[in-house]
Amino acid sequence: MSPHDPTAKRMPMPKGLLLDLDGVLYVDDKLIQGAVTTIDWLNAQRLPFRYITNTSTKTRDQLLAKLERLGLPVREEQVFSAVQASEAWLEAQSISRIAALVCDSVRLSLQERFEFDESTPEAVLIGDIGQAWDYDRLNQAFHWLLAGAKLVCVHRNRYWRTGDGLSLDIGAFVAALEYAADVQAVVIGKPSVSFFRAACDSMGLSPEQVLVVGDDVETDVGGGQSCGCQGVLVETGKYHPDLVARSAVVPDCLLRSIADLPALLGGCAGNGG
């Protein structure tokens, strides 16, 4: 049986799906072939799904705007991001004063609900600030943690894919702060079990009824499986066969791309945009 023949190993139709965004449906601002057609097929089947993402550089409104601009059908409730989950977690913990190492657009969103305190914050929230990472910022965060602040990260991905290839992600900085301050970070996004469970809950489904589709064998597939979901790995985005071979995570199925998902589930969507 060819691992790239989705009809050779058809999976039972799930009750819902969790679809990673970057690397599965698009890379940067370029759609992956078959993405729109597959979403149209899911909608025709009336299968509930969520667009899930660890991105810490975009608010929900920005994600909605991007999906609409790319031509991907979307409703507001279908977007489930690690930034949203981070805000919900902080509020659930009654944390109101934070130091936010996040991009400007996310800071604007956070300031509507939290007080920015760079003296004695209750939590240090780590997101992606790109080229702004430097020794002074890390050292300041280190001192906040020594003073008792919680270390909270939107996610702790090791790397991500841009149009130029793989790039270092914020997980490296989170690991450095954990080591230096001798603390354990609270991870909000993927592969956190709580993230996947909350995404399933948002559809009114149990994890056993849900299929996760992602390009990261650890974060997407492993995270989903640890929650009880089935996990499909696509060979687009950050997928790299050597990294998959070294991983202890075994996907339930391997697909060339999102375009093959309908055939895997018993349908046929073709390879349109």
Side-chain angles (χ1 to χ4, degrees), residues 9 11-12 17 23 25 45 56 65 81 108 124 172 182 193-194 201 214 217 246 257 267 269-270:
K9 181 188 176 182
M11 301 181 73
L17 295 97
L25 297 170
Q45 303 302 309
S56 59
S81 79
L108 288 173
V124 180
D182 194 21
V193 168
S194 61
D201 287 346
V217 68
R246 293 202 298 266
S257 79

Side-chain angles (χ1 to χ4, degrees), residues 215-218 233 239-249 251 254:
D215 64 328
D216 187 316
V217 68
E218 300 281 346
L233 183 66
Y239 170 84
H240 194 288
D242 290 342
L243 297 174
V244 174
R246 293 202 298 266
S247 174
V249 176
L254 181 67

Side-chain angles (χ1 to χ4, degrees), residues 2-270:
S2 168
H4 293 121
D5 180 3
T7 64
K9 181 188 176 182
R10 283 183 173 165
M11 301 181 73
M13 186 74 78
K15 297 292 186 182
L17 295 97
L18 301 178
L19 307 175
D20 183 37
L21 285 176
D22 204 350
V24 173
L25 297 170
Y26 56 75
V27 173
D28 287 343
D29 285 323
K30 184 178 180 181
L31 275 174
I32 288 174
Q33 186 177 18
V36 174
T37 307
T38 294
I39 297 302
D40 286 341
W41 183 83
L42 292 175
N43 284 328
Q45 303 302 309
R46 298 189 178 182
L47 275 171
F49 63 88
R50 293 291 182 265
Y51 295 114
I52 61 172
T53 178
N54 263 359
T55 184
S56 59
T57 60
K58 289 182 174 63
T59 64
R60 184 186 225 179
D61 287 345
Q62 289 175 316
L63 287 167
L64 282 166
K66 177 169 184 173
L67 292 170
E68 290 170 351
R69 185 177 72 252
L70 292 175
L72 285 162
V74 61
R75 299 188 305 275
E76 183 176 353
E77 70 273 13
Q78 290 177 312
V79 175
F80 194 87
S81 79
V83 170
Q84 292 168 242
S86 298
E87 293 175 348
W89 186 89
L90 290 167
E91 290 186 330
Q93 299 297 312
S94 299
I95 292 174
S96 59
R97 294 180 291 103
I98 65 172
L101 299 182
V102 296
C103 69
D104 290 344
S105 60
V106 173
R107 284 182 67 88
L108 288 173
S109 174
L110 290 168
Q111 73 179 13
E112 298 175 3
R113 302 163 73 172
F114 304 97
E115 175 188 348
F116 291 159
D117 181 350
E118 298 200 348
S119 177
T120 56
E122 298 171 273
V124 180
L125 180 64
I126 304 291
D128 187 12
I129 54 176
Q131 298 297 320
W133 283 111
D134 58 26
Y135 176 82
D136 288 340
R137 284 180 181 266
L138 284 168
N139 197 42
Q140 179 61 79
F142 166 65
H143 285 286
W144 287 325
L145 297 173
L146 289 182
K150 293 182 181 294
L151 177 59
V152 183
C153 54
V154 177
H155 65 82
R156 61 179 308 158
N157 289 1
R158 295 176 181 176
Y159 52 86
W160 65 298
R161 178 170 287 280
T162 69
D164 297 323
L166 297 181
S167 294
L168 190 69
D169 214 330
I170 65 175
F173 303 109
V174 173
L177 290 169
E178 286 181 319
Y179 177 74
D182 194 21
V183 297
Q184 184 70 44
V186 176
V187 182
I188 304 298
K190 302 176 292 180
S192 165
V193 168
S194 61
F195 178 87
F196 283 98
R197 185 171 292 124
C200 293
D201 287 346
S202 75
M203 297 185 289
L205 298 174
S206 66
E208 293 74 19
Q209 297 174 302
V210 175
L211 180 68
V212 178
V213 183
D215 64 328
D216 187 316
V217 68
E218 300 281 346
T219 301
D220 297 322
V221 175
Q225 289 176 336
S226 67
C227 183
C229 303
Q230 285 192 296
V232 169
L233 183 66
V234 292
E235 295 181 341
T236 53
K238 67 171 69 171
Y239 170 84
H240 194 288
D242 290 342
L243 297 174
V244 174
R246 293 202 298 266
S247 174
V249 176
V250 179
D252 291 287
C253 191
L254 181 67
L255 295 179
R256 280 200 179 97
S257 79
I258 190 70
D260 290 334
L261 183 63
L264 175 71
L265 300 180
C268 184

